[in-house]
Amino acid sequence: FPGTSYVRLLHNATRHTPLAMSQGAKTVVATIRLLVGAGQAKPAPPVGPALGQAGVNIMGFCKEFNAKTADIRDGVPVPCKLRVYNDKSFDFDIKSPQTSFYVKQACGLQVASARPGHSTLGYISMKHIYHIAQIKRKDNAHLQAMTMENVCKAIAGSCRSMGIGVVAKPEDIPEEFRA
């Protein structure tokens, strides 16, 4: 979202997992999950303190993350899983944004309904849900094991819980909710 620093620490856990490397075995000493805006990783809180606790080179992470997310529109919230090793080196994986982000974008909303089931803020078609399912299915092994129909049903359920109505075709969206 423009002008907002969308960074949040989700999890910081210690885990000891051997990882075979050419130099010898490294051990994962911490796993940190972050939700950072694409191209907006900065050493400021909350990213800096979360990485500093694990002894990670904060500027190194910020530069790598911003370079890896350069092709994504600035500010799009990108989930990141960072693994810190016993020699203070790190690697990380980025995934596609959360389903709720895509749904709100498809409906042209900034926030979901505060009263889902009582008020409908917008509508989304099954065509849009299918496209979101294709994107989400690429980087989630759990969703790859499901049929596309079941993935779409799960996303439709998320839409309803956000106060967004689901219609079969884009033409079925009521006139006052069309962008």
Side-chain angles (χ1 to χ4, degrees), residues 32 53 106:
I32 302 170
Q53 277 182 319

Side-chain angles (χ1 to χ4, degrees), residues 137 140-154:
R137 205 166 181 219
N140 189 326
H142 179 330
L143 295 179
Q144 289 173 357
M146 296 170 63
T147 64
M148 188 58 108
E149 180 182 357
N150 287 340
V151 175
C152 290
K153 284 180 182 179

Side-chain angles (χ1 to χ4, degrees), residues 65-77:
F65 180 86
N66 291 338
K68 228 178 187 181
T69 59
D71 59 333
I72 303 172
R73 193 176 79 227
D74 279 355
V76 173

Side-chain angles (χ1 to χ4, degrees), residues 34 36 41 47 51 56-66 80 82 90 92:
L34 299 167
V36 185
V47 172
L51 301 182
V56 175
N57 177 355
I58 299 167
M59 282 309 297
F61 169 78
C62 291
K63 286 179 183 177
E64 279 188 53
F65 180 86
N66 291 338
C80 171
L82 177 84
F90 65 89
F92 63 93

